[in-house]
Amino acid sequence: MRVISRAHLRDFWLHANYQDAEQPLKSWYDEVKKAHWKTPQDIKALYRNASLVGNKRVVFNIHGNKYRLIVAVNYDFSMVYIRFVGTHAQYDKIDAATI
């Protein structure tokens, strides 16, 4: 999969001062880059705790559910778009299906 954009992840751990998210986000990125998702079930096979929230959005628990990552997936073009990365408290203030 092609992930757009890794800079969002890097900005989170550098500029938002969440350095403990760096390794988990890098690991997620490396795994997804090698993946070939064609359906939501392909994601669930790799990430059992991922939440499919509609509108092609998927929520991933990062670093033991301390952080949340929301992506939009275009299965036809093998693209994953970073829509949100933040703390669990920040996540609770947004609508994952529309962000």
Side-chain angles (χ1 to χ4, degrees):
M1 304 298 288
R2 184 168 177 209
V3 180
I4 309 296
S5 144
R6 185 173 188 230
H8 292 305
L9 303 177
R10 187 178 57 246
D11 287 347
F12 179 72
W13 76 66
L14 287 177
H15 300 225
N17 201 29
Y18 298 112
Q19 288 90 4
D20 61 334
E22 180 177 1
Q23 275 313 120
L25 288 171
K26 282 182 176 179
S27 294
W28 177 89
Y29 177 84
D30 289 341
E31 289 173 356
V32 172
K33 207 168 60 167
K34 297 173 187 169
H36 300 286
W37 298 332
K38 297 295 180 193
T39 67
Q41 291 72 29
D42 294 339
I43 296 171
K44 291 295 277 184
L46 184 59
Y47 294 98
R48 288 188 352 212
N49 292 328
S51 299
L52 308 171
V53 294
N55 199 23
K56 298 186 181 179
R57 300 292 198 276
V58 183
V59 179
F60 295 93
N61 298 325
I62 303 295
H63 197 42
N65 205 21
K66 186 174 182 180
Y67 304 109
R68 292 286 179 101
L69 172 64
I70 302 172
V71 302
V73 181
N74 184 320
Y75 299 99
D76 294 334
F77 294 101
S78 298
M79 303 286 280
V80 175
Y81 301 91
I82 305 294
R83 304 298 296 153
F84 169 87
V85 59
T87 66
H88 206 288
Q90 292 165 335
Y91 169 83
D92 288 342
K93 297 177 183 176
I94 62 166
D95 181 358
T98 60
I99 194 165

